[in-house]
């Protein structure tokens, strides 16, 4: 039996499902930094899969946190969305992010904390958790800024366009090679 890559060992150790059968059966894992100040690409997104039976892990810079504009002025009456760590089985599909371009869009329920104290520090109070459909997508940043700013209202945002395009290529491979049209997203926190 082949040993799982370290990121999948960390996912499995937390009691979550790991997808091991066949090629291009994607495991998409966000790794949130312990840093709680908003507006930095200080997290990672790993896509782990087999190709020709060999495990591969690709890691991209991202943020799993909302940007300052949404923390300071939430668009939801309950506060800004911050995705709760966990595994969201089959909760994502290929679709249009804000009707503009193909991304991994939320099509199943997820859980979010609601941060409503209007500062740049992420608050993750379990008493504020909501479960539902909030448009928490996995997409690319817009513009050239090295900060998050308005790129995320709670989504996972990849820092570089090339990384986003590569992730979407792999998502397309899962659909074409396996016929699986939904994607599971697992968000864990450091240390892993």
């Amino acid at each position: 039996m082949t040993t799982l890559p370290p990121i999948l060992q960390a996912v499995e150790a937390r009691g979550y499902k790991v997808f091991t059968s066949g090629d291009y059966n994607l495991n998409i894992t966000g790794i949130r930094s312990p840093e709680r100040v908003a507006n930095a690409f200080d997290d990672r997104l790993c896509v782990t899969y087999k190709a020709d039976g060999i495990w591969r892990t690709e890691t991209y810079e991202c943020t799993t946190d909302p940007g300052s504009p949404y923390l300071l002025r939430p668009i939801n009456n309950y506060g800004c969305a911050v995705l709760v760590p966990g595994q969201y089985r089959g909760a994502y599909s290929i679709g249009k992010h804000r009707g503009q371009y193909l991304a991994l869009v939320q099509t199943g329920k997820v859980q979010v904390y609601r941060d409503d104290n209007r500062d740049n520090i992420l608050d993750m109070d379990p008493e504020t958790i909501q479960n539902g459909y909030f448009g928490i997508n996995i997409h690319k940043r817009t513009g050239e800024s090295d900060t998050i700013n308005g790129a995320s209202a709670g989504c996972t945002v990849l820092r570089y366009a090339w990384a986003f395009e590569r992730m979407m290529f792999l998502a397309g491979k899962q659909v074409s090679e396996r016929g699986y049209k939904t994607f599971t997203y697992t968000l864990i926190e450091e240390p892993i």
Side-chain angles (χ1 to χ4, degrees):
M1 180 170 165
T2 306
T3 302
L4 289 175
I7 184 61
L8 296 187
Q9 291 177 31
V11 167
E12 194 173 66
R14 287 163 172 79
Y16 300 131
K17 171 78 174 156
V18 171
F19 303 98
T20 60
S21 65
D23 288 349
Y24 297 104
N25 194 356
L26 303 186
N27 293 273
I28 302 173
T29 309
I31 305 168
R32 180 176 281 152
S33 156
E35 179 61 50
R36 293 294 176 247
V37 177
N39 242 32
F41 289 99
D42 56 3
D43 303 323
R44 293 173 284 154
L45 184 81
C46 297
V47 181
T48 308
Y49 60 97
K50 287 182 189 173
D52 298 320
I54 299 169
W55 280 112
R56 303 173 193 279
T57 299
E58 299 186 20
T59 304
Y60 317 120
E61 290 180 54
C62 73
T63 183
T64 62
D65 309 327
S68 292
Y70 295 106
L71 286 165
L72 299 173
R73 291 176 301 285
I75 57 176
N76 184 290
N77 291 336
Y78 293 102
C80 187
V82 180
L83 189 63
V84 174
Q87 186 170 67
Y88 301 102
R89 298 275 303 269
Y92 288 82
S93 302
I94 296 174
K96 291 260 180 124
H97 173 65
R98 293 185 174 177
Q100 297 173 359
Y101 59 87
L102 291 179
L104 294 182
V105 298
Q106 181 195 351
T107 51
K109 290 183 178 181
V110 300
Q111 290 188 315
V112 296
Y113 300 106
R114 289 295 180 181
D115 183 341
D116 195 30
N117 68 347
R118 300 170 194 268
D119 65 14
N120 277 321
I121 307 298
L122 297 169
D123 296 309
M124 300 178 197
D125 180 354
E127 292 187 19
T128 68
I129 291 176
Q130 293 180 335
N131 186 49
Y133 299 91
F134 308 110
I136 305 296
N137 300 335
I138 304 172
H139 63 89
K140 63 183 174 181
R141 78 173 167 157
T142 54
E144 297 301 316
S145 173
D146 271 340
T147 61
I148 309 307
N149 288 322
S152 174
C155 297
T156 294
V157 180
L158 279 77
R159 183 174 190 174
Y160 298 111
W162 68 263
F164 173 77
E165 296 303 327
R166 177 65 181 167
M167 180 197 71
M168 292 305 296
F169 169 79
L170 293 171
K173 288 288 278 184
Q174 176 178 293
V175 173
S176 66
E177 299 281 325
R178 305 203 55 82
Y180 300 165
K181 295 182 180 181
T182 62
F183 300 85
T184 294
Y185 181 39
T186 307
L187 177 61
I188 61 177
E189 294 182 307
E190 288 184 349
I192 59 166

